[in-house]
Amino acid sequence: MHARDLALFHAHGGRVDAARATFGGDDWIDLSTGIAPWAWPVAGVPLGWEQLPEPGAIAALEAAAAEAFGVTDPARVVAVPGSDLAMRLLARVIAARRPCVVRPGYAGHLAAWPDAVAVAPDAMRGLASGSPAQEHGGVADADMLVLASPANPDGRVTDPALLRMLAGRMTVVVDEAYADPAPGLCPDADDRLVVLRSFGKFYGLPGVRLGFVIAGTDLAPQLRALLGDWPVSSAAVAIGTAAYRDQHWHRGQQARITETGGLLDEVLRDAGLPVVGSAPLFRLIACDGATKLFETLAHHAILTRPFADQPDRLRIGLPRGAAGLVRLATALEEFPR
C-alpha cells in the first residue's frame, strides 16, 4: 500500500468512502471510529426541521444532559455542535500563553491548539510528585493543559484527583468523549477544570453533531455568547433530549457494550494480538505488522484505525453483533503470526 494512501486513514476514522475507493468491496464494517454500533432509535421523534430551535428547548436539552452527567446546575452545561468544534471555540475563549497537550492523544487537540507543547502522561505525574526532573517535561510552566480521559487511542484514564490538583495551578481541559456512561469529572467542572462530552459515540449517532462543554459560571456564558442563539439544530435538540431521558435504553446500551467488548477481547486473544489499551468502545492492539494487518482487514471490507506516530498500533472498535465478530475473526485468520 502506498504511503500516500495510508495517510488518508491516519487523520481520523470513518473514511469508508476512501477505503472503498482504495480497496474496493462493499458492505464495509467500520471499526475505525470507536462509535457504538447500536444507535439510539430516532423513529417517532419530531425533529422540527421546519423551525429554529427554541431557547426553552435548548435549555431542556442542557438540563437532560446535566442530569445524565451528574451536574446540579444546568446553566454550566453548554450544548455545542460537536465536541471537536467546541475545542476550537475554547481556544478562542480561554487565554493561554503556554498551552500543553498530552500526547499520544486525539489529533483534534493539537488542531485546536497548534502552538501547544506536547507532553507525555508521565509529565503530569511528575508535577504531582514534585520531582524537578519530571517537571521539566513542559508542564511546570504551563498555564493550560489539554488531555483526553479516557485517552484516545489507548483508553488511559487519568486520576481525577490529579486533574483537580492541576486545575489549582492552571486551566485544565478534559476531553471525556469516551467517558459515557460514567459521570466522570462533569460534577467537578468549573472555569479551571473544563470538561467536554460527546453525544454521538455512546448513543451511536455521530451525525447528529452534538456535544457539551461543562464549565463554570464565567466561561459558560462566554461560550454561549460566541455560539449565538441557535448553537445546535432542532433535530439535535429533539434527539438529544429524548435520548438522555431514555434510561431503559441507556442501561441496555451499557450491557451491549460490555458483552460485545468481552467477545472482541476473545477474538483478539485467539488471533494472538495483545491488547495494550482499551476503553468500553474500542481496543488498541500492538502488532509489528500493523500496517499489513490494516490492509488485510481492509481487503475483507473491515476498516480499522492506524496511527502515523504509532505504526505498531491499531485501534479496533466494537463490531455489531455475532456476524461482525465472525467476519473479523475470519479475516484475522489470514494474517500471519
Side-chain angles (χ1 to χ4, degrees):
M1 182 178 184
H2 196 282
R4 181 183 60 231
D5 295 328
L6 183 62
L8 288 171
F9 308 101
H10 283 152
H12 54 73
R15 297 190 166 182
V16 175
D17 286 345
R20 187 179 292 111
T22 303
F23 298 99
D26 296 309
D27 192 23
W28 277 77
I29 298 176
D30 186 4
L31 306 182
S32 68
T33 60
I35 293 168
W38 311 276
W40 184 81
V42 301
V45 177
L47 301 182
W49 288 116
E50 72 282 3
Q51 61 190 24
L52 291 169
E54 294 286 348
I58 296 173
L61 166 66
E62 292 170 342
E67 183 175 358
F69 303 154
V71 177
T72 57
D73 182 7
R76 298 193 294 112
V77 178
V78 182
V80 294
S83 57
D84 188 78
L85 178 60
M87 283 181 269
R88 299 165 196 260
L89 296 178
L90 285 171
R92 296 180 57 183
V93 174
I94 302 174
R97 299 184 312 278
R98 185 173 172 79
C100 289
V101 172
V102 174
R103 303 290 295 167
Y106 177 52
H109 298 162
L110 279 177
W113 289 276
D115 298 328
V117 175
V119 299
D122 286 346
M124 293 187 293
R125 291 193 291 270
L127 181 60
S129 67
S131 167
Q134 293 291 341
E135 285 188 10
H136 295 159
V139 178
D141 58 346
D143 58 356
M144 183 177 185
L145 181 67
V146 183
L147 72 154
S149 182
N152 180 11
D154 60 16
R156 180 184 64 256
V157 176
T158 303
D159 182 2
L162 170 60
L163 295 174
R164 286 190 291 266
M165 185 278 292
L166 288 171
R169 307 186 183 190
M170 64 187 75
T171 301
V172 178
V173 177
V174 186
D175 181 355
E176 290 192 337
Y178 287 103
D180 280 330
L185 279 163
C186 292
D188 299 321
D190 57 26
D191 287 327
R192 296 293 294 271
L193 183 60
V194 182
V195 180
L196 301 173
R197 277 299 179 108
S198 170
F199 170 79
K201 292 179 175 60
F202 179 80
Y203 288 92
L205 294 168
V208 172
R209 303 310 305 145
L210 177 62
F212 299 88
V213 176
I214 302 93
T217 54
D218 289 334
L219 183 59
Q222 292 181 55
L223 190 57
R224 281 196 173 91
L226 185 61
L227 288 161
D229 291 334
W230 306 291
V232 293
S233 70
S234 293
V237 171
I239 293 170
T241 304
Y244 278 122
R245 290 173 176 172
D246 191 346
Q247 291 301 307
H248 176 75
W249 187 92
H250 190 279
R251 290 189 293 271
Q253 185 78 324
Q254 288 180 259
R256 285 185 288 270
I257 289 171
T258 300
E259 179 182 9
T260 305
L263 294 172
L264 176 60
D265 289 337
E266 291 180 12
V267 169
L268 297 175
R269 182 174 62 249
D270 291 345
L273 296 170
V275 175
V276 296
S278 68
L281 288 170
F282 63 79
R283 302 294 187 266
L284 182 71
I285 62 170
C287 175
D288 289 338
T291 298
K292 182 62 177 176
L293 177 56
F294 171 81
E295 294 180 30
T296 298
L297 294 174
H299 284 299
H300 285 265
I302 299 173
L303 183 59
T304 55
R305 176 71 159 85
F307 299 94
D309 56 349
Q310 299 180 86
D312 61 340
R313 299 288 191 265
L314 205 64
R315 194 184 71 193
I316 301 178
L318 302 183
R320 180 187 175 93
L325 287 162
V326 170
R327 274 184 61 179
L328 177 62
T330 302
L332 289 173
E333 289 177 357
E334 290 190 8
F335 183 68
R337 293 175 289 281

